[in-house]
Amino acid sequence: QKEVEQNSGPLSVPEGAIASLNCTYSDRGSQSFFWYRQYSGKSPELIMSIYSNGDKEDGRFTAQLNKASQYVSLLIRDSQPSDSATYLCAVTQGGSNYKLTFGKGTLLTVNP
Amino acid sequence: DADVTQTPRNRITKTGKRIMLECSQTKGHDRMYWYRQDPGLGLRLIYYSFDVKDINKGEISDGYSVSRQAQAKFSLSLESAIPNQTALYFCATSVDRGELFFGEGSRLTVL
């Protein structure tokens, strides 16, 4: 069974701080990695995708991928109360680009 | 309007009833999926489809069936609903590298 592990949280940070969210995965064949944000009762929204080792930045968000360590992370700089949500890590199953395995999510709370 | 539309958004039904959740999309994507989300269990794949003639089971397909009526329409059926099928159901579409685009969700309660 391919697994994606995330700390369930809650992770609490003050407004303006950096929030760091982590994810490990078991399938060495995984090729694509995604971070979704999900507000309570709403659908997941794609915020970052990363496909190669290293960092990828988009505004206040930075995704980091280390395939050797099977580790992917999301950094949120200058955290805002509106960033308070559950963050889901998703990884394509080995060799495929059409089936994602999701972690159970990390609940982030940004305190004003 | 949402690119991926699910109906109904909320449904309460009784054990043993047949229920259908419908999904339509205007994104033009070939791949469509049905997921369910339960507290503490995350998102789990029920069925997925690459086109009208290609339908595949996911990790939790027992008790469910699907129909791909057209490239833009993908329906999920519960032939005889049971209480442990109470969940939030999401339809999604995807493109080449696997990223999913979700509908707004259908909350199903089976009494």
Side-chain angles (χ1 to χ4, degrees):
Chain A
Q1 179 73 11
K2 310 302 183 184
E3 294 184 345
V4 177
E5 300 287 343
Q6 296 181 252
N7 290 327
S8 61
L11 173 65
S12 184
V13 300
E15 184 175 355
I18 296 174
S20 178
L21 304 163
N22 303 315
C23 172
T24 60
Y25 60 95
S26 64
D27 187 349
R28 286 195 172 275
S30 297
Q31 297 293 321
S32 302
F33 307 84
F34 306 97
W35 284 98
Y36 287 83
R37 178 177 62 201
Q38 186 176 24
Y39 294 112
S40 180
K42 302 296 186 182
S43 60
E45 173 192 12
L46 180 67
I47 55 172
M48 288 291 288
S49 59
I50 188 166
Y51 308 105
S52 56
N53 282 329
D55 295 357
K56 178 181 178 182
E57 185 175 321
D58 184 1
R60 295 185 297 111
F61 299 98
T62 299
Q64 299 174 318
L65 175 61
N66 184 325
K67 289 186 178 181
S69 299
Q70 296 176 247
Y71 175 91
V72 58
S73 66
L74 179 70
L75 300 177
I76 306 174
R77 290 181 300 282
D78 188 23
S79 295
Q80 300 298 308
S82 59
D83 295 327
S84 298
T86 296
Y87 288 80
L88 305 173
C89 174
V91 174
T92 51
Q93 294 182 17
S96 89
N97 63 349
Y98 53 84
K99 289 175 68 175
L100 293 187
T101 299
F102 283 84
K104 295 178 181 179
T106 298
L107 176 61
L108 171 66
T109 301
V110 180
N111 302 304
Chain B
D1 290 340
D3 294 326
V4 184
T5 303
Q6 293 183 229
T7 56
R9 296 290 311 282
N10 288 284
R11 180 72 180 266
I12 300 173
T13 191
K14 295 182 178 180
T15 296
K17 295 292 187 180
R18 183 179 189 273
I19 185 152
M20 178 181 288
L21 306 179
E22 297 183 322
C23 177
S24 63
Q25 54 115 347
T26 58
K27 299 185 79 68
H29 295 166
D30 288 328
R31 300 172 188 171
M32 297 188 73
Y33 303 76
W34 278 102
Y35 282 85
R36 68 177 278 177
Q37 188 174 40
D38 300 272
L41 295 178
L43 281 159
R44 293 181 291 167
L45 181 62
I46 306 172
Y47 271 95
Y48 61 101
S49 170
F50 292 160
D51 62 38
V52 173
K53 297 181 180 179
D54 186 358
I55 293 177
N56 304 276
K57 294 182 178 181
E59 59 185 295
I60 55 163
S61 59
D62 288 349
Y64 301 94
S65 62
V66 291
S67 174
R68 184 82 182 265
Q69 299 96 326
Q71 189 234 18
K73 295 184 181 294
F74 193 36
S75 300
L76 177 71
S77 293
L78 288 67
E79 297 301 325
S80 180
I82 57 177
N84 76 359
Q85 291 177 313
T86 292
L88 183 56
Y89 290 85
F90 289 106
C91 175
T93 68
S94 82
V95 290
D96 291 344
R97 303 198 76 168
E99 60 266 47
L100 292 173
F101 300 91
F102 287 88
E104 296 170 309
S106 296
R107 186 170 297 280
L108 176 65
T109 302
V110 183
L111 301 177

